[in-house]
Amino acid sequence: QVRLLESGGGSVQSGGSLRLSCAASGGTFSWYAMEWFRQAAGKEREFVAGISRTGSSTSNAGVTKGRFTISRDNTKKMLYLQMNNLKPEDTADYYCAATTPSGLKVWGHGTLVTVSS
């Protein structure tokens, strides 16, 4: 089993940056593919970026537009999302997720990012 806790959200002005963190406890972190999702008010949850056990990453270009970078530190059991040049449309709850070898997806409770004009 694994539990996830996001942090690093907050309020920033358009053009600002934030670094989100996701701390994992329990389980074997290095075995999990990790992902970031986000959900804006009144919208469905959408995929932001993912990273494999070995560090191969993928992103939703329509969401990140080259501004976000996902990374992980298996030693520290941490997942990160560096977000630069934030825009108001990035305002959302951001969630990290772990996918276990058995295919189970475990979610954190989210951290709120608010970007003002």
Side-chain angles (χ1 to χ4, degrees), residues 6-110:
E6 301 95 335
S7 63
S11 298
V12 298
Q13 294 184 351
S14 181
S17 298
L18 284 173
R19 189 194 193 198
L20 305 184
S21 298
C22 174
S25 60
T28 305
F29 181 75
S30 63
W31 289 0
Y32 310 142
M34 300 296 296
E35 297 170 291
W36 285 102
F37 291 78
R38 72 183 187 185
Q39 186 168 22
K43 304 293 184 180
E44 294 185 351
R45 189 168 298 186
E46 62 183 349
F47 172 74
V48 175
I51 187 166
S52 73
R53 298 168 56 182
T54 56
S56 178
S57 64
T58 184
S59 65
N60 184 343
V63 171
T64 68
K65 300 179 181 178
R67 302 168 300 134
F68 297 176
T69 302
I70 188 171
S71 62
R72 68 189 296 162
D73 186 329
N74 286 345
T75 300
K76 297 180 178 179
K77 297 185 177 182
M78 295 288 290
L79 175 73
Y80 305 102
L81 183 68
Q82 179 65 47
M83 305 187 297
N84 299 322
N85 195 22
L86 287 162
K87 302 300 180 183
E89 54 264 37
D90 296 315
T91 296
D93 284 312
Y94 284 73
Y95 300 85
C96 67
T99 301
T100 70
S102 63
L104 176 67
K105 190 180 292 295
V106 179
W107 298 89
H109 291 296

